[in-house]
Amino acid sequence: MSGAPVTGTLEVVEYTDPLCPWAWGSEPTFRRLRQALAGRARWRRVYCILFDEDDDPAPDPAAETAWYARYVEEIGAHTRAPYAARLSRVAASSWPSSLVAKAAEAQGEEPAARALRRLRETVFVLGEPADTLDLALAAVRDVPGLDAGRLYGDASSEAVREKVLADRAEARRPVPEVLAPPPGDSPHPGAAKETDGGTGLRYALPTVLVRGEAGHRVVPGWRPYDEYLAAVRELSPGLVAAPTEPLPAAEALCRHRTLTEPERRALASGPWPPPAAVRADTANGPLWLCPSEAAAHPATRSRGKSSSLGPR
């Protein structure tokens, strides 16, 4: 969402994790919905902690990595989202990325959204999950609008850790509607997941909970844009009266800084790519970067050269 002041009473809660492949694949839909609700609703992210600190280490890390890479590839077949040509490892923990993402919120909505995006791209574009605090901070160090020194202090603080602990706890109190598999033919329908050795439940990721004066609506798992829009309209008719038009290609890329192929189809109009777009290839299609993002992005910085320009 943009930095416009929020005038409505509607709250959209996104239960997510920076390293979740289904959440990554939902970005085209969520970016479109945030654009439609800009200035009209409050959007709040709750970090679930998909990979927890007390998870048992894999007996065979290489085999686990190979299995998880295939799992991400299968999800990518549904979402069309990029995934890395080579995954170095399964993330050891979601805590570092979640702490950095939560700490970034104190510096503004736009910088925080950009930081979260970079953290997602570490695993799904680069294949190097930001699963230590040093890696997470390095991934976002050049994000425009972020004070790196302040971010380091905040992400290391007990106050931010308490906020993520509260997020983790909230994500483990799912509403009754998601306790059974929701209707529909989604490959990821979003029923609540068992956790803590089968003694508890948490939201499947991603799940969106829309809250308003008239109650709440929940949209779990992998869902089309119209289902989220319907939930908003049920609680607040007329809030989004007309479809959100895609932006011209160059403007869309400038606003979002990076776009996947599914995102550019949902969010951009006109000939593609824009003349200055920079392309970084993955195993499942390109990531498109605006020039200023490409100048500092790990996808180009780590290779020591710019990615190729234009389509292939």
Side-chain angles (χ1 to χ4, degrees):
M1 292 170 70
S2 72
V6 175
T7 57
T9 58
L10 201 71
E11 181 185 49
V12 179
V13 185
E14 177 191 353
Y15 295 93
T16 191
D17 186 286
L19 308 180
C20 171
W22 283 111
W24 167 242
S26 297
E27 280 284 275
T29 298
F30 290 171
R31 281 182 153 186
R32 185 180 175 191
L33 187 63
R34 287 195 297 270
Q35 186 172 307
L37 294 177
R40 299 180 177 91
R42 178 190 178 208
W43 191 291
R44 180 168 64 91
R45 292 186 180 92
V46 174
Y47 294 105
C48 176
I49 307 297
L50 184 61
F51 302 99
D52 216 336
E53 292 175 322
D54 57 359
D55 289 347
D56 293 331
D60 186 341
E64 184 192 40
T65 299
W67 172 84
Y68 192 71
R70 290 193 298 272
Y71 174 67
V72 171
E73 183 177 348
E74 289 170 3
I75 293 171
H78 293 292
T79 67
R80 307 299 180 191
Y83 52 81
R86 177 186 175 275
L87 180 66
S88 67
R89 64 190 179 281
V90 178
S93 172
S94 292
W95 273 96
S97 285
S98 298
L99 289 168
V100 169
K102 183 62 69 174
E105 292 177 358
Q107 299 192 38
E109 187 174 347
E110 286 297 329
R114 290 172 179 173
L116 175 58
R117 177 67 177 211
R118 283 278 192 94
L119 292 164
R120 295 196 196 281
E121 289 167 351
T122 64
V123 60
F124 301 113
V125 175
L126 303 175
E128 296 285 345
D131 56 358
T132 70
L133 190 57
D134 284 346
L135 288 173
L137 289 167
V140 304
R141 69 184 179 207
D142 297 313
V143 167
L146 278 183
D147 180 323
R150 178 185 176 187
L151 187 67
Y152 175 84
D154 287 349
S156 306
S157 71
E158 190 61 30
V160 167
R161 185 173 180 84
E162 288 297 323
K163 289 181 179 179
V164 177
L165 277 170
D167 279 4
R168 182 186 181 280
E170 180 179 342
R172 282 155 178 76
R173 297 191 297 269
V175 295
E177 293 93 322
V178 300
L179 300 186
D185 57 359
S186 169
H188 178 46
K193 302 287 187 180
E194 287 190 357
T195 187
D196 301 326
T199 62
L201 294 170
R202 65 162 174 83
Y203 284 108
L205 303 181
T207 290
V208 165
L209 187 67
V210 184
R211 289 194 179 112
E213 294 176 356
H216 72 262
R217 299 291 185 273
V218 63
V219 188
W222 167 254
R223 300 286 166 171
Y225 175 76
D226 286 348
E227 289 196 30
Y228 298 97
L229 196 59
V232 169
R233 286 174 168 164
E234 284 181 29
L235 294 179
S236 188
L239 186 68
V240 184
T244 303
E245 293 297 326
L247 297 172
E251 185 179 346
L253 186 58
C254 180
R255 172 176 291 190
H256 295 290
R257 302 189 66 82
T258 68
L259 290 171
T260 64
E261 280 289 294
E263 287 173 332
R264 69 98 169 169
R265 292 191 175 98
L267 300 168
S269 63
W272 191 270
V278 177
R279 173 176 174 148
D281 285 302
T282 77
N284 197 35
L287 180 74
W288 297 98
L289 304 92
C290 71
S292 60
E293 183 73 8
H297 196 283
T300 52
R301 187 176 65 218
S302 65
R303 297 171 188 175
K305 59 182 180 68
S306 294
S307 299
S308 59
L309 299 179
R312 289 180 179 176

